[in-house]
Amino acid sequence: MAENGRSAEWNGRKGEIWVVNHERIDRMLAPLGRAALDKAAPKPGETVLDVGCGAGTTTFQLAEKVGASGSVLGVDISEPMLSFARRRAATAAPGLPVRFELADAATYALPRAQFDLLFSRFGVMFFADPVAAFANLHRAMKPGGQLCFVCWRPAAENELVSLPARAVKGLIPPAPPAEPNAPGPFSFGDPARVTSILSAAGFSHIALEPFGCRMLYGVGETRDAAIEDAVEQAFETGPFSRVLAELQGDVREQARKAVRAGFAERAEDGGVFIQGNAWIVTALVERI
Ligand SMILES: C[S@@+](CC[C@H](N)C(=O)[O-])C[C@H]1O[C@@H](n2cnc3c(N)ncnc32)[C@H](O)[C@@H]1O
């Protein structure tokens, strides 16, 4: 997809979906974001760049850590998500040292040697030219600064995709194999590729740590309601929804039934939990 196509996507229905569902998305991603935040360990007074900050949840969390003597800049290409983040800053998080810029992190002329920490929760896997994008971000880092982001391991290791995909196997023709390195949520699944991108962009001491957890995916008053909620999400918002959305008539009904049965196996008191598997990626900036 062309770069402006990707921007149109995050500025269109996808951006709106993230705004409307921000509470449930935050609930689902919370353990992964927290693991990255703990790893990054931002200190009071630091300046932080939150790349692909979306609705701003991690921007606010980072700002709480760096305090009034520090600052956090959130950048994102999605106007609806950034407007929402700004509204939250004014209402839910007044006084926190945050700023938001509507900008493409890959090319935006950031101030040079400005940031102690480059952070991202699932916001760096969408660059058409990741080496150029990370080189651009590297220029904005102070010598001695650090990078810390969380990204998904391959789709096959994440039940966001693998659970509905397994459920509909045999019901629909197999999709042509996806190009694993194409920009998208799972494009940083291969640790060798991530290492090579960051190294070519100028980062050093690159490390990837696996992090897996149970993610709360479906919620409801009853077990059935939670399962139905998970099915709804898989069909409407999840990364496999593109495939499911195309199904019509009987096949769609059969697919719903099969996906529901898959989520029923993951239902327990409190909701439907699925396995999420990510990398926590760290690196350093030695010189600029
Ligand atoms: C999966 S969402 C994550 C949002 C947020 N970090 C969170 O955890 O809730 C990915 C975000 O990256 C943003 N994004 C994608 N490409 C971008 C780019 N080139 N520059 C800045 N933001 C980008 C999208 O608009 C979207 O908000």
Side-chain angles (χ1 to χ4, degrees):
M1 187 187 290
E3 209 48 1
N4 57 358
R6 203 168 313 285
S7 169
E9 196 177 47
W10 286 110
N11 278 288
R13 185 162 179 270
K14 200 161 166 179
E16 307 284 343
I17 284 173
W18 271 72
V19 170
V20 171
N21 290 288
H22 84 274
E23 277 180 13
R24 64 166 66 243
I25 290 172
D26 276 343
R27 199 166 43 215
M28 179 178 86
L29 298 182
L32 299 130
R34 205 161 37 238
L37 197 66
D38 288 349
K39 189 79 194 171
K43 295 178 205 51
E46 284 190 339
T47 49
V48 184
L49 178 63
D50 188 4
V51 177
C53 63
T57 301
T58 52
T59 322
F60 301 130
Q61 292 169 343
L62 290 158
E64 274 167 16
K65 298 276 181 197
V66 300
S69 58
S71 65
V72 188
L73 172 64
V75 293
D76 203 285
I77 49 170
S78 171
E79 205 278 321
M81 286 164 83
L82 219 55
S83 297
F84 183 65
R86 287 189 176 121
R87 284 203 298 280
R88 287 173 89 192
T91 52
L96 281 181
V98 294
R99 214 158 49 78
F100 294 101
E101 294 270 357
L102 183 64
D104 184 339
T107 52
Y108 187 53
L110 288 153
R112 287 193 169 229
Q114 181 75 21
F115 297 98
D116 298 293
L117 170 64
L118 187 170
F119 183 88
S120 184
R121 185 179 82 172
F122 300 113
V124 293
M125 306 89 82
F126 306 93
F127 302 131
D129 183 344
V131 173
F134 275 101
N136 183 48
L137 296 169
H138 186 270
R139 284 190 283 277
M141 301 296 295
K142 290 180 187 169
Q146 64 156 335
L147 161 155
C148 181
F149 65 76
V150 56
C151 61
W152 297 115
R153 284 185 358 228
E157 295 176 38
N158 276 289
E159 288 193 323
L160 271 173
V161 171
S162 66
L163 190 150
R166 201 167 45 241
V168 300
K169 203 169 166 205
L171 280 176
I172 60 174
E179 161 51 66
N181 296 344
F186 301 102
S187 68
F188 276 16
D190 174 5
R193 177 167 189 259
V194 176
T195 304
S196 131
I197 289 169
L198 293 178
S199 165
F203 291 90
S204 66
H205 298 80
I206 300 153
L208 286 88
E209 267 179 35
F211 180 83
C213 66
R214 286 163 10 113
M215 307 189 300
L216 180 52
Y217 194 55
V219 289
E221 299 267 297
T222 62
R223 184 177 180 276
D224 279 353
I227 295 168
E228 205 46 50
D229 184 52
V231 174
E232 202 58 36
Q233 283 204 74
F235 273 75
E236 298 299 326
T237 66
F240 198 65
S241 61
R242 213 176 285 246
V243 175
L244 297 175
E246 284 174 15
L247 306 180
Q248 307 284 342
D250 278 358
V251 179
R252 187 176 171 86
E253 262 326 292
Q254 285 172 39
R256 267 195 102 88
K257 222 167 134 183
V259 171
R260 189 177 297 119
F263 283 127
E265 288 176 15
R266 298 285 183 279
E268 39 188 276
D269 283 349
V272 172
F273 290 84
I274 59 172
Q275 182 66 25
N277 285 318
W279 295 116
I280 308 284
V281 182
T282 53
L284 292 180
V285 176
E286 282 187 313
R287 58 189 161 71
I288 52 170

